[in-house]
Amino acid sequence: MENVYTTNDPPRRISLAADARELIGGGVVVLAVAYALDQWLAFNTKAPLPIFDLFGYGVAIWRISRSKAPPLSAGVAVALCGVVALGALGPYRSPGVALTVLAVYCGTRKDSELRTAGALLFALAVHELWSRGIFAAFAPEFVRVDAGLVGSLVKLTHPDAVWNGNMIATSDAHAIVIEEGCSSFANVSLAVLCWLSMTTLERSKVKKVDLLVVIPVIAMQIFLNVARIYLMALSPPMYEYWHNGLGAQIYANGASVLTIGMTLLGLRLVHKP
Amino acid sequence: MKWAYRLLLGALLIAGIAHRLGPRPDLAQAASHLDRTYATLKPELVGPPEVDHNVASVSVARCPRPLIVASMPPSFTPTAILLSNKRPGDRTYFAYLDWLSTNPDRMAVITRRIGTPIMAMFGLSPYSNSRVMLFISEPGECDVVKQVDWSVYWKP
């Protein structure tokens, strides 16, 4: 049967509304690429890709794709595009600012999948941006805690060692200074991100019992870093091996594998039927 | 309009990649920044500064010993080790962006460290890199550090 149009039909209007899943998910992809390139090309050296971060981005995008959010109005869509543009085209760290805005937007929606994605985006923003600010403010205190742990260990095994502030000398010829970048606390936000990504990959809601898993994961990260700095303090060859050599890779990969393994095992244990 | 948003996101992705792959500040550029900073002292420089890793030794005519300029993370964590190497009577300064002081004022550095990248995002900061702070030690017999515009070091 032929369609019959009459003059009383409302005129067709172009809708400026956008699919929330597509726009927010696409925005997160743009920010993930910008952040990964920032990390990969930092200081003109080809650093390893930030695997945990990309995994977190992946889980967030997956959660966004499963949401049933209503279409975005034109104003909100344009504002979110502006935020993504700021993150993609701004300087180093700008993806973190854009992520924070997206996280707040997603986290305040009614849809539980979007709220979960918001929590994950917020964890990513904290890891990529805000933890650096907090760490910058309290770096001397954080470093002092690390130096205290390493210094105590060194004094136990090498009573002649000299430990002064964040400097530890095991002989006249070898001393190390624990700098801001060496602190164990720099790895805590990464451990939290990994835990949250794996938890939200399994279920859309994080339960209180899941928090029992993250505490040993953080403790393990601190223990591994302290052990590594202790080994570096022992002698120049040990320093070279664990700071620049194969030991540095063993540490990085070992810490990653242990973080994933402990999180998986912990989640299985706390949710055992 | 779905395609308009898709095109916009695609364009943002491509522009973001191109922006990230564009020219970046490198170590050689940082060294030239340091040279530019010393340019203020040029009439008095005795030979070029000697640089060993992140510590430069700058000989100035009116100073009995060279100025020591060390670049370090802007958090004062290596301050103890740097101060332990200074000679009696030496004056030490910390320089970071537009700030120069003899006191390790953490608030002054933190506010600049957080504020500068945010301002840079909107093109409101004259500084291109805020990841390094300078620790300067000058012999007590001369007074040249205050005459140098150290902020040049962080400008593009």
Side-chain angles (χ1 to χ4, degrees), chain A residues 16 22 88 141 166 180, chain B residues 5-6 20 75 77 106 113:
Chain A
L16 292 173
E22 197 172 295
E141 283 74 25
N166 57 337
E180 187 180 327
Chain B
Y5 290 114
R6 284 177 188 166
R20 256 59 197 180
S75 68
T77 45
R106 219 197 287 184
R113 191 172 176 182

Side-chain angles (χ1 to χ4, degrees), chain A residues 14-18 22-23 26-27 30 33-34 37-38 41 43-44 77 81 84-92 94-95 97 136-137 139-141 143 166-167 179-180, chain B residues 1-2 5-6 8-10 12-13 15-21 24-27 72-81 84 106 110 113-114 117-118 120-122 131:
Chain A
I14 296 170
S15 169
L16 292 173
E22 197 172 295
L23 193 102
V30 172
V33 171
L37 283 174
D38 267 346
L41 301 170
F43 303 110
N44 282 349
C81 282
V84 173
L86 182 78
L89 305 175
Y92 195 71
S94 56
V97 177
E141 283 74 25
V143 166
N166 57 337
M167 187 182 75
E179 292 257 13
E180 187 180 327
Chain B
M1 283 302 285
K2 255 186 174 183
Y5 290 114
R6 284 177 188 166
L8 184 60
L9 285 173
L12 277 178
L13 183 65
I17 292 170
H19 176 65
R20 256 59 197 180
L21 293 176
R24 307 171 70 85
D26 57 19
L27 295 175
M72 59 188 210
S75 68
F76 300 111
T77 45
T79 306
I81 185 84
S84 68
R106 219 197 287 184
I110 289 165
R113 191 172 176 182
I114 294 171
I118 294 172
M121 210 175 290
F122 299 99
R131 295 184 207 171

